[in-house]
Amino acid sequence: MGALSIWHWLIVLLIVVMVFGTKKLKNMGSDLGGAVKGFKDGMKEGANKAEDETPVAAAQVASSVQAEKTTIDVEAKTKS
């Protein structure tokens, strides 16, 4: 009773087509497709950009860890 049959969906589709018209639905579909394509392209570009920046970030972390070790050793030597 809670699920809609195929006839209910066909009636809903018919009403939507009558309200909006086929031309407007076609334009909305192409706009939606363009937006999805743009989103996918942006995600790929962001992933490529993140991969390019990863080696630089890893080198910075490694150098800062090395600097922290040196600082800790110097402080420990001066306190004793």
Side-chain angles (χ1 to χ4, degrees):
M1 181 164 182
L4 296 176
S5 70
I6 187 72
W7 296 110
H8 291 107
W9 288 114
L10 288 175
I11 292 171
V12 169
L13 179 64
L14 180 66
I15 292 171
V16 168
V17 168
M18 287 173 47
V19 169
F20 291 109
T22 56
K23 186 175 181 180
K24 190 164 187 169
L25 288 174
K26 180 183 170 188
N27 290 340
M28 286 173 39
S30 63
D31 290 343
L32 180 63
V36 169
K37 184 178 179 182
F39 177 76
K40 286 181 180 179
D41 291 343
M43 292 298 291
K44 287 179 185 176
E45 181 180 311
N48 291 340
K49 189 175 181 182
E51 288 174 0
D52 293 342
E53 293 176 358
T54 302
V56 174
Q60 290 174 346
V61 169
S63 65
S64 66
V65 168
Q66 184 64 26
E68 288 177 11
K69 286 183 180 179
T70 305
T71 305
I72 293 172
D73 291 341
V74 170
E75 290 176 2
K77 289 179 182 179
T78 56
K79 288 184 180 179
S80 48

